[in-house]
């Protein structure tokens, strides 16, 4: 049962709300609940997992795919007010792939029960339409990520990643191992280390154990 | 205006048909037409192109993305009875990426005018739902292609490609240059040539100008 205070936020983001019957509205609210995830907590992984639809109230979720040997490629990140539908991919029969979702930051989400959401989607085309639309937003994100990974030269990708981190955190020091960075940019640790050493030689960054300090943003930006 | 003989095929594949008003049905038929594309003809490319929705009657369309330096990655192929919605991506405001579409074989398609289809999608949620659903089928295809390209080792990818071609055409001789194969498997010509030479040394294939003959399917299959 969803807390009354959250209902306006819920209605605002579930844009099919006005098209629901009273029964459907009650059903949806009765099977929605607030849930907290700790930073780095895994929310959804692969095959037989159908957590439910997530509406993010605060925090950040990261969606990624994983290869058999553990390589990890980020597809997209979701933040406040966004809806995560692939955590309930069992609802959409034509979604035949599996993703993993982690809480990238400590996150508070409204979790809607998967089978209830599915029931409503089956009987109400506006709800079904909403879930398709949400999935297609992610399709666009994935295409962007794919083009980045496949087509952009690695030095540019790494540069963009470093500058993004600096602007996101507001600090010039990035507390990450080369291994972690490799996961984010879809590459191997060795490749990241080699390029970072080159950046250091050029005077763009300063490397030390478990962190990278960006010291020349102006020239680093020239790389893009 | 669509030829009467084609109407049953059209209705069968436009699954929202029963939900249209008489006016909408007539509008849709009036602005649909049969169109032929020659083998290798480009149908749709990038940005400002909004050809329309395509229903494939015969032949095969290939959808791909292109990097600035001309690298070409196949996303999926569509055949008889399938609907190509990304050739009318202007219809779906949340599709923010661009693809290229070629007729891979000589193809006959029913072309539905983009602005008419959009008009119907705006006023009829069943039509809108159909276009979302079609797009999401392609989302699954793209995820599959992406995982293949990113995660599968190159020797396996090339092997699968060769065996697929043999089973599709029914001939052990693949009439393609290494350049063309590189495009299909999302790699560079040099890499394809090197791996094919290795396959030849192992006795799996025999190479000659512009073609590859698969001579040991049993052991080639072992590669997968």
């Amino acid at each position: 049962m969803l807390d009354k205070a959250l209902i306006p936020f819920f209605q605002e983001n579930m844009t099919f709300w006005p098209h629901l019957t009273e029964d459907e509205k009650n059903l949806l609210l009765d099977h929605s609940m607030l849930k907290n995830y700790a930073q780095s907590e895994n929310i959804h992984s692969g095959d037989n997992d159908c957590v439910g639809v997530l509406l993010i109230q605060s925090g950040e979720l990261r969606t990624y795919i994983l290869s058999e040997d553990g390589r990890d490629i980020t597809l997209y990140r979701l933040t406040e007010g966004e809806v995560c539908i692939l955590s309930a991919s069992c609802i959409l029969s034509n979604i035949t792939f599996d993703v993993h979702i982690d809480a990238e930051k400590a996150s508070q989400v409204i979790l809607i029960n998967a089978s209830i959401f599915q029931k409503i989607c089956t009987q109400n085309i506006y709800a079904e339409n909403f879930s398709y639309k949400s999935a297609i937003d992610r399709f666009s994100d994935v295409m962007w990520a794919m083009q980045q990974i496949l087509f952009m030269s690695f030095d540019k990708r790494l540069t963009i990643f470093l500058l993004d981190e600096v602007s996101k955190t507001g600090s010039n020091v990035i507390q990450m191992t080369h291994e972690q960075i490799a996961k984010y940019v879809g590459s191997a640790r060795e490749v990241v280390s080699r390029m970072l050493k080159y950046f250091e030689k050029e005077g763009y960054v300063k490397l030390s154990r478990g962190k990278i300090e960006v010291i020349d943003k102006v020239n680093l930006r020239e790389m893009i």
Side-chain angles (χ1 to χ4, degrees), chain A residues 122-172:
Chain A
T122 313
Q123 66 194 39
N124 188 310
I125 190 155
Y126 291 92
E128 188 186 17
N129 220 40
F130 174 84
S131 48
Y132 286 148
K133 212 183 271 182
S134 306
I136 292 177
D137 287 340
R138 302 295 81 80
F139 188 6
S140 291
D141 291 342
V142 164
M143 288 297 294
W144 191 85
M146 186 168 172
Q147 300 198 352
Q148 290 276 311
I149 293 164
L150 293 174
F151 293 148
M152 198 185 271
S153 63
F154 178 70
D155 54 346
K156 287 189 185 175
R157 248 155 63 207
L158 184 59
T159 303
I160 288 174
F161 175 79
L162 297 175
L163 293 172
D164 274 0
E165 280 301 307
V166 166
S167 83
K168 250 194 339 197
T169 61
S171 157
N172 286 335

Side-chain angles (χ1 to χ4, degrees), chain A residues 175-204:
Chain A
Q175 306 265 12
M176 277 187 181
T177 65
H178 298 185
E179 182 77 44
Q180 287 173 307
I181 294 175
K183 283 192 177 179
Y184 285 117
V185 297
S187 185
R189 188 193 52 76
E190 298 73 19
V191 180
V192 170
S193 296
R194 198 165 55 222
M195 189 63 74
L196 283 174
K197 261 172 217 143
Y198 167 77
F199 285 179
E200 188 173 38
K201 244 176 56 190
E202 294 293 306
Y204 305 152

Side-chain angles (χ1 to χ4, degrees), chain A residues 28 32 40 47 60 79 90 109 116 123 131 141-142 163 185 201 208:
Chain A
L28 201 60
S32 298
S40 304
D47 277 37
E60 182 180 309
T79 55
C90 56
V109 306
I116 294 297
Q123 66 194 39
S131 48
D141 291 342
V142 164
L163 293 172
V185 297
K201 244 176 56 190
S208 47

Side-chain angles (χ1 to χ4, degrees), chain A residues 2 6-14 17 28-29 32 112:
Chain A
L2 196 61
L6 292 168
I7 295 181
F9 175 75
F10 188 75
Q11 291 174 338
E12 186 189 322
N13 288 291
M14 298 286 132
W17 185 263
L28 201 60
L29 291 177
S32 298
I112 308 164

